[in-house]
Amino acid sequence: MADAAPADSRGGRGERGERGERGGRGGFGRGRGRGRGGRGRGRGRRDDGEQAWVPVTKLGRLVRDGKIKSIEQVYLFSLPIKEYQIVDIFLPKLKDEVMKITPVQKQTRAGQRTRFKAFVAIGDSDGHVGLGVKCAKEVASAIRGAIILAKLSVIPVRRGYWGSKLGEPHTVPSKVTGKCGSVTCRIVPAPRGTGIVAAPTPKKILSLAGISDCYTTSRGSTKTLGNFVKAAFIAIGNTYSFLTPDLWAETVFTKDPYQEFTDYLAKAAEKKTKF
């Protein structure tokens, strides 16, 4: 009997050991590991679903369904673009250039809160350019947000000639000026073959706009890169802000897309309410 008791007690410990191996904390640990793996795979699948664009504005629905054929129609009627996917459809060859990433700080009770401000220029080197500024906690998020804002702010660039009108337009049609803060940027037409005579900052945005020859002058605190880029962007945008004799042709007024496709938009709205 004395010998049997220790054997039983050892057996009990062995059983407990087996239980510990099968379940207990070890089991929970393995369960959590599997759970995390499942969540990770779920996140991967979610990205595929985000690619399918469901427009939420009238303009987005008309663009997706092919009712509006070009971005020039949007500019003609000054329709506000609220979804960057519209620009992706019309201008698939857009290239982006990160102009500057700078840390900005805010003083709080807990100390300083640092975020990153990104300036991104975007263009297709064929008469369209945009500029986006975004502040975020992470650099990648700031760049991503700035690219989206740049797409939403894409403007048409009017190009012209210096001297004889031979070949493709290569420079600005006249002298234009843009101002932001203390910085003033002036763009002057130049002969073909001159190139872009400018500082590195406006040179990037001018090349993205599709201007190949011009002179520039600048005044003010140009080391403030944010204001310098904005001044150059405003100057480029001013190319369409005045009327020249070649635009004196009689204007033929047509219906804007919202009026032309009223019945179509109404049908789309009815389908939504049914579902």
Side-chain angles (χ1 to χ4, degrees), residues 71-135:
I71 200 165
E72 275 64 38
Q73 268 184 283
V74 178
Y75 293 143
L76 181 65
F77 296 101
S78 300
L79 303 176
I81 298 173
K82 302 288 186 183
E83 296 171 281
Y84 71 92
Q85 291 91 345
I86 294 170
V87 180
D88 286 336
I89 289 170
F90 287 136
L91 305 172
K93 295 180 182 178
L94 283 174
K95 294 178 184 177
D96 55 84
E97 178 89 31
V98 179
M99 307 299 288
K100 189 181 184 182
I101 298 167
T102 179
V104 291
Q105 291 182 328
K106 179 184 177 181
Q107 189 68 39
T108 62
R109 282 186 296 176
Q112 292 174 336
R113 188 189 69 181
T114 304
R115 295 200 297 171
F116 297 96
K117 193 177 185 182
F119 294 86
V120 175
I122 200 165
D124 61 352
S125 301
D126 192 26
H128 300 96
V129 69
L131 180 68
V133 184
K134 179 68 177 175
C135 199

Side-chain angles (χ1 to χ4, degrees), residues 35-243:
R36 281 195 203 105
R39 283 187 215 129
R41 287 194 291 275
R43 285 193 194 106
R45 284 197 298 272
R46 201 183 302 156
D47 292 340
D48 300 335
E50 285 174 8
Q51 290 175 6
W53 174 45
V54 180
V56 294
T57 60
K58 288 180 183 178
L59 181 62
R61 290 202 292 273
L62 292 174
V63 169
R64 183 196 61 183
D65 299 334
K67 303 295 181 184
I68 296 176
K69 304 295 182 186
S70 70
I71 200 165
E72 275 64 38
Q73 268 184 283
V74 178
Y75 293 143
L76 181 65
F77 296 101
S78 300
L79 303 176
I81 298 173
K82 302 288 186 183
E83 296 171 281
Y84 71 92
Q85 291 91 345
I86 294 170
V87 180
D88 286 336
I89 289 170
F90 287 136
L91 305 172
K93 295 180 182 178
L94 283 174
K95 294 178 184 177
D96 55 84
E97 178 89 31
V98 179
M99 307 299 288
K100 189 181 184 182
I101 298 167
T102 179
V104 291
Q105 291 182 328
K106 179 184 177 181
Q107 189 68 39
T108 62
R109 282 186 296 176
Q112 292 174 336
R113 188 189 69 181
T114 304
R115 295 200 297 171
F116 297 96
K117 193 177 185 182
F119 294 86
V120 175
I122 200 165
D124 61 352
S125 301
D126 192 26
H128 300 96
V129 69
L131 180 68
V133 184
K134 179 68 177 175
C135 199
K137 289 179 182 179
E138 296 177 7
V139 174
S141 303
I143 293 171
R144 207 178 306 119
I147 289 170
I148 290 170
L149 291 174
K151 286 178 181 176
L152 294 176
S153 69
V154 166
I155 57 170
V157 181
R158 188 178 173 198
R159 292 170 292 172
Y161 298 90
W162 188 96
S164 59
K165 296 183 178 179
L166 298 172
E168 294 292 320
H170 62 98
T171 186
V172 287
S174 65
K175 296 174 185 177
V176 287
T177 306
K179 190 174 190 298
C180 182
S182 71
V183 183
T184 304
C185 183
R186 192 174 193 223
I187 306 171
V188 181
R192 197 182 292 274
T194 304
I196 300 171
V197 182
T201 300
K203 191 170 187 175
K204 287 176 185 174
I205 199 163
L206 285 165
S207 62
L208 286 170
I211 294 167
S212 53
D213 306 292
C214 70
Y215 298 116
T216 62
T217 62
S218 55
R219 290 182 65 189
S221 181
T222 53
K223 68 180 179 182
T224 312
L225 190 138
N227 286 353
F228 200 10
V229 168
K230 287 177 184 176
F233 181 67
I234 291 164
I236 292 166
N238 286 340
T239 54
Y240 264 113
S241 66
F242 56 88
L243 196 64

